[in-house]
Amino acid sequence: MLGLPDHVRACLFDLDGVLTQTAKVHAAAWKEMFDGYLRERAAREGTPFVPFDAVVDYDEYVDGRPREDGVRTFLAARGVRLPEGSPDDPPQAETVNGLGTRKNDLVLRRIREEGVEPYEGSVRFVTAARDAGLRRAVVSSSANCRDVLAAAGIEDMFEERIDGVVTHERDLRGKPAPDTYLEAARVLGVEPGAAAVFEDALAGVEAGRAGAFGVVVGVDRVGQAEQLRAHGADVVVRDLAELLESS
């Protein structure tokens, strides 16, 4: 059914890069934030400025992870440790939370200015999944998930949403831990083995593999098919419409 194993009864979709064309917006916002901070730090310490790579660094350290985890993971790769701070930290604070707030402000500005477009092939696939009676949930690390779904006009296509807000409220670990996907399966009333995970992020496919889901579909938007397979994808497609064509 729909290019998926017969035992699949639910579909669990990542948001950015799978359903909506916002991954590039996030990558640009991460780069703007990190480059600004790294440039300030290099000038202060008299060290060379090495910019954030919006492809390599984004894929390896921040894509698919909760915002603060992305800040922490990338800076650790550069040998930088900052105090955690608190969620109330302003964007100018030199803390993990402060930089996370700075990035969030930038991405919200870009979304307001540029809008949000869903992937046509993904809309077709979700519509087919709904018509086939499969359960459907969005699983995203973004605290802005609901606003993005609404802006893209696809909020009503999903029964459940496990996003950054829910992750915080229920004290779930973010991707690459499987907690958010396991929670989505739980609220839909299906076992993990009967659910398909759809992810474009390396951390996300790791989460799918760690949760022992029925199938993990990697969505390759940026030419990283081999990396997606290496991190746990059972199947890799460039667009979800390919699954419809293969069914």
Side-chain angles (χ1 to χ4, degrees):
M1 180 184 293
L2 308 180
L4 302 173
D6 291 340
H7 62 273
V8 168
R9 296 290 176 265
C11 296
L12 313 178
F13 300 92
D14 177 46
L15 177 67
D16 303 311
V18 172
L19 298 174
T20 58
Q21 301 181 44
T22 41
K24 59 185 179 183
V25 178
H26 281 280
W30 279 112
K31 179 169 176 58
E32 185 176 352
M33 183 277 287
F34 275 131
D35 280 1
Y37 173 68
L38 293 170
R39 190 176 285 108
E40 295 166 6
R41 188 179 180 94
R44 186 172 67 225
E45 298 182 351
T47 56
F49 163 61
V50 180
F52 177 86
D53 189 305
V55 176
V56 177
D57 289 332
Y58 177 75
D59 290 344
E60 184 69 23
Y61 302 116
V62 303
D63 188 21
R65 301 177 188 269
R67 194 183 310 141
E68 285 71 30
D69 286 353
V71 173
R72 201 180 297 111
T73 303
F74 171 69
L75 290 181
R78 293 290 182 92
V80 177
R81 289 186 177 275
L82 295 180
E84 289 294 308
S86 75
D88 297 328
D89 282 358
Q92 63 268 27
E94 193 172 356
T95 63
V96 169
N97 278 274
L99 293 186
T101 298
R102 191 185 305 186
K103 181 266 174 181
N104 194 51
D105 289 350
L106 291 169
V107 82
L108 289 176
R109 186 199 74 201
R110 287 175 177 270
I111 287 173
R112 285 195 302 269
E113 293 175 353
E114 301 171 21
V116 177
E117 290 292 330
Y119 285 101
E120 181 184 351
S122 296
V123 173
R124 286 174 54 203
F125 184 87
V126 177
T127 300
R130 180 185 62 192
D131 293 346
L134 298 182
R135 309 298 304 275
R136 303 161 317 283
V138 177
V139 182
S140 171
S141 61
S142 174
N144 306 311
C145 178
R146 184 171 188 172
D147 292 337
V148 171
L149 288 170
I154 58 174
E155 184 178 10
D156 294 340
M157 299 181 73
F158 304 94
E159 300 166 277
E160 298 288 347
R161 185 186 72 255
I162 305 298
D163 59 10
V165 176
V166 175
T167 297
H168 177 72
E169 291 174 348
R170 301 181 189 177
D171 195 27
L172 304 173
R173 293 176 300 167
K175 306 168 189 178
D179 299 31
T180 51
Y181 277 115
L182 292 172
E183 179 68 2
R186 185 190 70 79
V187 298
L188 288 178
V190 299
E191 293 296 322
V197 166
F198 299 83
E199 267 284 357
D200 72 315
L202 302 182
V205 294
E206 283 186 34
R209 179 175 60 182
F213 286 89
V215 62
V216 179
V217 178
V219 184
D220 178 25
R221 304 289 190 191
V222 294
Q224 58 175 8
E226 289 308 311
Q227 296 98 310
L228 288 167
R229 290 188 183 93
H231 282 76
D234 299 302
V235 179
V236 176
V237 296
R238 288 173 295 178
D239 189 88
L240 295 190
E242 293 177 28
L243 295 171
L244 298 177
E245 295 159 5
S246 68
S247 60

